[in-house]
Amino acid sequence: MPMKRKDIAALLGNEAASLLDFTTPKISRERLTIPTPNHVQKVFSHSDRSRTVQSNLKALYAHGNLGGTGYLSIFPVDQGIEHSAGGSFAKNPDYFDPEHIVDFAVQAGCNAVASTGGVLGMVARKFATQIPFIVKLNHNDFLRYPNVHDQIIFSSVEQAAEMGARGVGATIYFGSPESARQIQEVGAAFAKAHSLGLFTVLWCYLRNPAFKVGSVDYHDTADLTGQANHLGVTLHADIIKQKLPTKNVGYPALNKGAAKFGKYDERMYSELCSDHPIDLTRYQVVNCYMGKIALINSGGESGSDDLRDAVRTAVINKRAGGSGLILGRKAFQKSREEGIKIVKAVQDVYLCKDVTVA
């Protein structure tokens, strides 16, 4: 049976009231484009996205357990490259096999599966008509010594189109020394994808050692990740993927003393956002053209209570005006049965009519 609000509240524990009853966001829901069943028509019918791009987006939004709701549940497995295969799959070696990755997404009722060109290419004739494919174009080469963090192109848009993919994805490490090249590469790849009728998903990550000041890490602040999102939608991303923010005031922290970085306005921290988790994520949504471009948050790494943590993230994303979750490690680093249970619990949050946009 699908979870109801009381079941979700039980999982949230002492945070239930704070997260489920929050009604005073700094930016009201009336100013946003919130997810609806006709999201693609409503948002993209007057855009430069072709009919084929819109058709592929509609197929994405129509698929799986969340089909027809305006929300997305995507199963991503690119960690075999990003974090090394052994380090990622040792807990469940079945996922060395591409067929297990894609079949999991099908059985869990996901809207799509996102993975490497190699993974999806191996099973394209079997699965590309069963579930929308999102081919990840670039990756962090994690074998160079010493380890460096740089997204480089592994697959082409043409390869993705030929295998029957509906969309392509890419990561940019905004703030990194390599970001200028990555922005140019991804911008060109997304333009090519749209010309071939594929939709685009951008992983908008921050990466720079300077974003850690003393013992405080500002990579997950609402203001900095929000600006990364705004750069992402500028690159014609149709969906933005971002980590859940946990704090704010990244810009002020990076402008202490003689340091000068970016530009900000104090109203960002008073009139536009508060420290409430839903407000922090709403600021990310606001930077996605006020919700016109879908924001999906990351499920994050596996921890001690993945079911509770995944449901919490889903509640925050949904109530902030976001469009879903992209959840990988919390699911595939478990037994198949437990992984599917976690994914479906997340889907239940988006299906629950009593959990509403704040």
Side-chain angles (χ1 to χ4, degrees), residues 49-61:
R49 274 59 161 186
S50 68
R51 290 182 179 178
T52 308
V53 171
Q54 292 183 51
S55 176
N56 279 322
L57 278 168
K58 287 177 180 177
L60 172 73
Y61 278 95

Side-chain angles (χ1 to χ4, degrees), residues 59-141:
L60 172 73
Y61 278 95
H63 193 81
N65 294 334
L66 296 184
T69 66
Y71 290 104
L72 298 169
S73 168
I74 297 174
F75 184 56
V77 185
D78 60 354
Q79 288 85 354
I81 306 299
E82 299 287 346
H83 302 288
S84 85
S88 298
F89 302 144
K91 293 179 180 179
N92 194 336
D94 284 343
Y95 291 102
F96 278 100
D97 184 341
E99 187 162 350
H100 283 279
I101 292 173
V102 182
D103 186 62
F104 178 97
V106 172
Q107 298 305 318
C110 295
N111 295 74
V113 58
S115 194
T116 67
V119 164
L120 297 178
M122 283 297 295
V123 293
R125 291 183 179 175
K126 180 173 183 178
F127 284 108
T129 58
Q130 294 188 42
I131 186 171
F133 279 11
I134 301 171
V135 175
K136 189 83 182 331
L137 300 175
N138 63 0
H139 303 285
N140 181 30
D141 170 14

Side-chain angles (χ1 to χ4, degrees), residues 257-279:
K260 297 295 180 184
F261 172 74
K263 289 185 179 294
Y264 67 98
D265 189 307
E266 292 294 343
R267 286 168 289 194
M268 291 162 56
Y269 312 107
S270 56
E271 296 178 20
L272 303 185
C273 196
S274 73
D275 290 332
H276 194 283
I278 292 171
D279 253 347

